[in-house]
Amino acid sequence: MKHLNQIGQREASLRCKAIIAACVTAVGVTAISAQSAGPERHTLMQLTPKQMTQMMADHLQAEPMQSLAVIAPTNFPPSLSLLSLLPYIPAQRNQGACGNCWAWAGTGVMEIAHNVQNGVASRLSVQLLNSCNPYVSCCAGGWLANVAQFYTYNGHAAPWNNPNGPWTSGNGSCGTACGSIASAPQFPITSASVTTIPTWGLSQGQAIANIKTALNQNKAVWFAFFMASDTDWANFDNFWSYQTESAQWSNFNAGESGTTGGGHAVLCVGYDDTDPTGPTWIMVNSWGTTAGRPHGLFHVSQNIDYSGTYTYGTQQYYQLYWETLNIQFAPQPSLGLALTATNTAILTWPSAAAGYTLQCHSTLNGATWSTVPSTPALINNQFQVILPKSSANCFFRLMAP
């Protein structure tokens, strides 16, 4: 591993540590239970030194996003938000006492990618990732590589509204069994891997440009931050609970020493260089809403130390991680139409599109489409509906769940 003073344009590898951790054994990994720090405090993520070392290694081994060669304000629009591409209900986006902030942020990256790729604005089940993950225990801490690892293994995401798909582990329990979460309908995933957004050891301007590059490619960004002390997190908790969504957080306190900190992961959906307080990043949290945060948002100043570290014992550790997913959803299913000799219409679509609804309307741009009442038959891995001849025009479409 490289020491901090050896860092160049490539991010350095070093051990990181989060504290107040209690270890339990998961399948092939060491999982850490998340803990609340008392009344009115939100759940943080605590990782063991071994886990932070692995997180660092995964960050460095992931394919890095190509940095911009030239930094100039004209390279980017003055503001950008992908929030409209995120299907979410702010009050329900609440991890509660479960320490899986990393999964909520990673699922948000996936939801925006699904909308961009296939035009499907469907919430995805975080419960699936929490209950069915053989690599990370239920409600334990993790990082974005764990999201990619799970979906490479599982091969599909599930809609939030599947039976037992909605979030049920907000009390920190793991009562929803994996087998109880309906596997249909589902959204097949063909590949998933992490892309690192380089920020360590770079100028502030270059780090900002790299993050903006990802966002301007319609890729949401997974952002994790670690702070050294419980006092730091009490300050952030108060910021979240009592400030408004326009307020900016910048107090990561780089250079501090401490033994009582932790980490949190959120979803970066954009930036605003025109903010009167100063250029800012737009973050979606997984702590529900407050009176001042009806959309579950907070802002982070762009004027921060992207190579910031804190000291634990005699070691220094990086604080901030910026990553995204290179994830590919299977294309939307195609709808086939054939006419028979008796002028009946046979409509077909792939069996992998279980849960899609066949709809009809007299005009292509109709506002209210009707569900075709016929029950599809499954024949040779194709759903099939046979409709009689009709004197009325009808356009057909498949509606995603």
Side-chain angles (χ1 to χ4, degrees), residues 123-126 128 151 156-160 162 181-183 185-187:
R123 286 194 293 167
L124 302 179
S125 174
V126 182
L128 178 74
Y151 282 106
H156 72 269
W160 176 284
N162 273 15
I181 301 174
S183 60
Q186 62 180 241
F187 299 116

Side-chain angles (χ1 to χ4, degrees), residues 10 25 133 292:
R10 183 73 167 104
T25 301
N133 196 332

Side-chain angles (χ1 to χ4, degrees), residues 18-25 30-35 46-48 51 140:
I19 31 65
I20 315 182
C23 297
V24 296
T25 301
T30 302
I32 295 303
S33 60
Q35 302 172 359
Q46 282 94 25
L47 304 178
T48 64
Q51 286 181 307

Side-chain angles (χ1 to χ4, degrees), residues 346 348-351 376-386:
I346 302 177
T348 58
W349 61 98
S351 60
L378 184 59
I379 301 174
N380 296 327
N381 292 322
Q382 292 273 318
F383 287 113
Q384 183 181 105
V385 169
I386 300 178

Side-chain angles (χ1 to χ4, degrees), residues 86-362:
L86 179 70
Y88 82 117
I89 297 174
Q92 294 182 6
R93 188 179 170 83
N94 190 349
Q95 69 189 76
C98 193
N100 67 340
C101 55
W102 59 275
W104 287 86
T107 299
V109 174
M110 293 172 57
E111 289 167 332
I112 289 178
H114 197 198
N115 203 345
V116 170
Q117 291 175 26
N118 290 333
V120 177
S122 176
R123 286 194 293 167
L124 302 179
S125 174
V126 182
Q127 192 64 50
L128 178 74
L129 183 54
N130 199 52
S131 294
C132 300
N133 196 332
Y135 309 107
V136 180
S137 294
C138 171
C139 283
W143 50 96
L144 190 59
N146 298 138
V147 177
Q149 181 185 38
F150 171 75
Y151 282 106
T152 299
Y153 153 82
N154 200 55
H156 72 269
W160 176 284
N161 289 327
N162 273 15
N164 289 322
W167 182 241
T168 61
S169 297
N171 61 357
S173 70
C174 301
T176 300
C178 176
S180 71
I181 301 174
S183 60
Q186 62 180 241
F187 299 116
I189 293 170
T190 59
S191 64
S193 61
V194 174
T195 297
T196 295
I197 301 174
T199 55
W200 298 339
L202 304 178
S203 69
Q204 184 183 82
Q206 185 67 70
I208 291 171
N210 290 346
I211 300 164
K212 287 182 177 179
T213 296
L215 292 166
N216 277 276
Q217 293 173 354
N218 287 330
K219 289 180 176 290
V221 173
W222 185 91
F223 172 59
F225 55 105
F226 293 79
M227 293 190 290
S229 71
D230 184 67
T231 299
D232 293 334
W233 282 108
N235 291 335
F236 181 79
D237 201 274
N238 289 333
F239 163 80
W240 169 261
S241 297
Y242 303 115
Q243 296 285 343
T244 65
E245 291 182 334
S246 62
Q248 291 189 17
W249 178 261
S250 60
N251 302 322
F252 294 105
N253 293 323
E256 266 199 348
S257 299
T259 59
T260 57
H264 189 47
V266 296
L267 180 69
C268 180
V269 295
Y271 61 90
D272 186 1
D273 292 346
T274 68
D275 190 305
T277 309
T280 186
W281 302 114
I282 304 168
M283 304 293 183
V284 184
N285 205 350
S286 52
W287 287 354
T289 59
T290 70
R293 301 185 187 278
H295 304 102
L297 305 178
F298 70 99
H299 287 188
V300 170
S301 172
Q302 291 181 25
N303 186 25
I304 56 177
D305 186 351
Y306 294 86
S307 299
T309 64
Y310 70 96
T311 299
Y312 181 82
T314 60
Q315 298 295 320
Q316 285 184 308
Y317 309 98
Y318 281 115
Q319 292 180 288
L320 310 182
Y321 290 76
W322 303 81
E323 299 176 345
T324 190
L325 281 174
N326 181 18
I327 190 163
Q328 188 62 50
F329 287 85
Q332 285 287 87
S334 58
L335 183 62
L337 173 64
L339 297 176
T340 69
T342 57
N343 283 331
T344 58
I346 302 177
L347 293 162
T348 58
W349 61 98
S351 60
Y356 281 71
T357 304
L358 182 64
Q359 296 183 335
C360 171
H361 199 278
S362 58

